[in-house]
Amino acid sequence: MTGTVTPPAPTDAWFGAHLVASADEVPSRLALVATDRSWTYAELDLAIRRTVARLDKFGVRRGDRVVMQGAARPEALVTLFAVTRMGAVLVPVHPQLTAGELAVVCAETAPRAVVADERFLSGRPADGSGRCFRLTWDDLHPGDEGSAPAAEGLDTEAPAGSDVAVIAFTSGTSGHPKGVALTHDNLRWSMVNGLDRLPVGPDDVALVATPLAHVAVLGGLPQYTWARRGTVVLAPRFDPDLFIDLVRDHRITCAFAVPAMAALLTRHPRFAGGDLDTLRWILSGGAPAQTATRDLLHERGIGVVDSYGLTESGAGVTYSALGTADGPAAVAGCPVPHVELLVVDEAGGPTPAGAPGEIWVRGPSVASSYWTADGPRPATDPAGWFHTGDRGRIDAQGRLEVVGRVKDTVITGGENVDPAEVENALISLPGVVEVAVAGAPDAVWGEVVTAFVVAEGDGPSLEDIRAHLDGRLARHKWPRRLSVVPALPRGATGKLQRQRLATLLDD
């Protein structure tokens, strides 16, 4: 892609206004590529307007909730923008959600419709009340675009900024998923923040290879790219070979990847070849990229932008500077301009410089409530602070260093151990692909530090791990137990689910 158009950060209050502006101003620029098909900005906008008309025909109205299978397919992206454009509320869910999990989402949101493929809908009966109906992708996108009506003449007044646009369910690391009510304003301010920190321009081609239920898609890199009139390439799934093929074929310049994806990419036999030469940087979300992965990417000439964000914040609230490879692996960068960030002690007071505590965030991108069947439940305290439950510290450069979860701290023999610190030290051990650390009950120590390792071949022994940590970490932080596992338990967005690690222990 070529061009010099770089518009200012979006000012319209409703989610999707940036696409309308692009369709008006640069209609022929390439907006979206998926599999063997592509859409200009004008074509993408027309597809959205036609889907608005179909949703209206099926009876979806302003304020209705629409549950959507968040599959990585263009129909889902078009549906996302159509639902929110007409003032309805999108409820994206992971494409492999079980019937029981879907029942929880529907019970909380009382949707007007569920949109998915036939396999997803099979065995999931329609709402007995008759209010909720099921739609397949073919119902909304039947392939007759040449004759399909657009939304002209319908009541499509733009939603207000305070209207809820998306209910994004968390991955349930606390045991029960929560529906985060993200307003149009929340998502707009998230975009403003991202555009301030990320080097996205009209010549960029961004690769997205995650499910569309991920907040990094709803409020992240693809939205920033479209706001700058760039091109988004949508992968149907993440696979290292496919990822590399797409970078080569579409001259990808930037991509979003959770740390596990980035780690698999660096270990692929084609990583050192020329097929990745156009890839300038990767945005790491879910957690900062671990040291070994980040170093390999930098050596390959691929920059890493680490970020810290949550579903409740609409996407990133900190971003590291592109091109920096120094500092601890857990450093996630400085706060964005429209977010306040505090690190507090157990009493809720600010911690001294460099001291760890719980991370609190506040700002217009942060959701103020959760959506429940009984009505909205506050997500923030009376002063507007969201208590993340994550532990971090602010370093001398003003950067946030994330050191774990408040409840994840391992207390062994009276000493506190941050799992993330041990994980970052172990990931560079030869043969280790992924690692997670947690506490296991022990009659003597209270808890013992336990390493769960995904390895190449037989993997390291406990003695190998201790030898590797000698000189790197204090002895009380060394694992006393080791479990080599085929995979780490992760939620729908790829986030590690530490509470499930105990189920992997051998008796």
Side-chain angles (χ1 to χ4, degrees):
M1 290 295 297
T2 60
T4 59
V5 178
T6 306
T11 56
D12 294 290
W14 58 281
F15 179 65
H18 54 303
L19 282 178
V20 174
S22 296
D24 288 342
E25 297 172 20
V26 288
S28 61
R29 286 181 66 84
L30 187 60
L32 176 65
V33 178
T35 313
D36 57 353
R37 188 175 174 191
S38 62
W39 291 258
T40 65
Y41 277 95
E43 291 168 339
L44 183 58
D45 181 66
L46 180 59
I48 292 167
R49 289 190 285 115
R50 284 174 167 160
T51 304
V52 168
R54 292 192 180 101
L55 287 165
D56 180 84
K57 177 182 177 182
F58 282 113
V60 175
R61 299 291 181 264
R62 182 181 296 269
D64 285 343
R65 275 76 63 202
V66 176
V67 173
M68 185 191 77
Q69 179 189 20
R73 53 191 301 164
E75 299 97 326
L77 274 174
V78 171
T79 302
L80 157 66
F81 287 110
V83 169
T84 54
R85 183 179 297 194
M86 67 190 302
V89 181
L90 186 86
V91 187
V93 295
H94 193 274
Q96 297 181 359
L97 207 70
T98 67
E101 291 168 325
L102 178 63
V104 171
V105 170
C106 290
E108 293 287 357
T109 61
R112 182 75 172 117
V114 177
V115 183
D117 61 27
E118 291 281 5
R119 181 195 57 79
F120 186 88
L121 294 172
S122 177
R124 295 169 168 86
D127 185 350
S129 69
R131 185 185 185 282
C132 179
F133 51 89
R134 305 188 303 173
L135 295 173
T136 66
W137 298 117
D138 288 342
D139 290 327
L140 283 187
H141 312 275
D144 57 349
E145 298 298 347
S147 59
E152 285 78 3
L154 297 178
D155 178 16
T156 54
E157 180 183 353
S162 59
D163 290 344
V164 176
V166 173
I167 302 172
F169 276 80
T170 64
S171 55
T173 55
S174 61
H176 185 78
K178 295 177 289 186
V180 181
L182 293 166
T183 66
H184 289 266
D185 272 342
N186 291 149
L187 294 169
R188 176 175 69 93
W189 281 107
S190 176
M191 190 187 309
V192 170
N193 286 326
L195 289 172
D196 183 84
R197 289 298 169 84
L198 295 174
V200 183
D203 295 328
D204 275 308
V205 183
L207 177 59
V208 176
T210 53
L212 300 190
H214 201 298
V215 74
V217 176
L218 301 172
L221 183 59
Q223 309 304 333
Y224 311 152
T225 304
W226 282 319
R228 294 298 192 209
R229 311 328 195 214
T231 302
V232 172
V233 176
L234 182 64
R237 65 190 182 282
F238 174 74
D239 171 84
D241 255 323
L242 176 61
F243 187 102
I244 294 171
D245 286 344
L246 291 172
V247 171
R248 176 197 63 202
D249 296 344
H250 298 287
R251 301 189 64 78
I252 301 295
T253 61
C254 54
F256 172 79
V258 299
M261 293 164 58
L264 289 170
L265 182 65
T266 61
R267 288 168 170 79
H268 195 276
R270 296 171 59 193
F271 176 69
D275 291 338
L276 291 172
D277 284 352
T278 62
L279 184 60
R280 294 188 295 111
W281 55 277
I282 286 177
L283 173 61
S284 177
Q290 292 181 307
T291 303
T293 297
R294 187 173 56 173
D295 289 347
L296 288 170
L297 288 166
H298 277 284
E299 290 169 7
R300 178 65 178 77
I302 301 170
V304 178
V305 177
D306 286 313
S307 65
Y308 172 72
L310 313 100
T311 303
E312 287 86 350
S313 66
V317 295
T318 73
Y319 294 100
S320 66
L322 181 62
T324 57
D326 59 331
V331 167
C334 295
V336 293
H338 301 288
V339 166
E340 296 176 84
L341 188 148
L342 279 179
V343 175
V344 302
D345 57 26
E346 293 182 359
T351 59
E358 185 180 7
I359 302 167
W360 290 7
V361 295
R362 179 171 68 178
S365 64
V366 178
S368 61
S369 65
Y370 295 107
W371 188 289
T372 77
D374 299 323
R377 180 169 66 83
T380 58
D381 68 19
W385 291 102
F386 175 66
H387 303 188
T388 69
D390 291 323
R391 296 185 75 239
R393 60 171 64 92
I394 304 296
D395 69 12
Q397 287 76 47
R399 303 175 301 181
L400 175 68
E401 180 183 352
V402 183
V403 297
R405 292 284 294 173
V406 171
K407 296 180 180 178
D408 289 339
T409 300
V410 180
I411 304 176
T412 178
E415 299 283 354
N416 289 355
V417 177
D418 283 320
E421 183 182 14
V422 185
E423 291 163 358
N424 288 325
L426 286 178
I427 194 62
S428 59
L429 177 62
V432 173
V433 177
E434 289 188 273
V435 60
V437 170
D442 184 84
V444 175
W445 298 96
E447 289 182 297
V448 291
V449 179
T450 304
F452 299 83
V453 171
V454 179
E456 296 172 339
D458 293 335
S461 66
L462 190 58
E463 289 70 26
D464 294 332
I465 284 177
R466 290 174 172 172
H468 179 75
L469 295 179
D470 193 8
R472 288 182 167 89
L473 293 179
R475 293 181 67 90
H476 72 271
K477 299 177 182 179
W478 294 7
R480 292 174 178 267
R481 294 187 66 176
L482 168 66
S483 181
V484 178
V485 298
L488 298 178
R490 297 189 181 275
T493 62
K495 184 173 290 186
L496 177 68
Q497 295 188 318
R498 291 187 186 273
Q499 80 278 7
R500 292 174 52 197
L501 288 172
T503 64
L504 305 179
L505 283 172
D506 298 326
D507 293 334

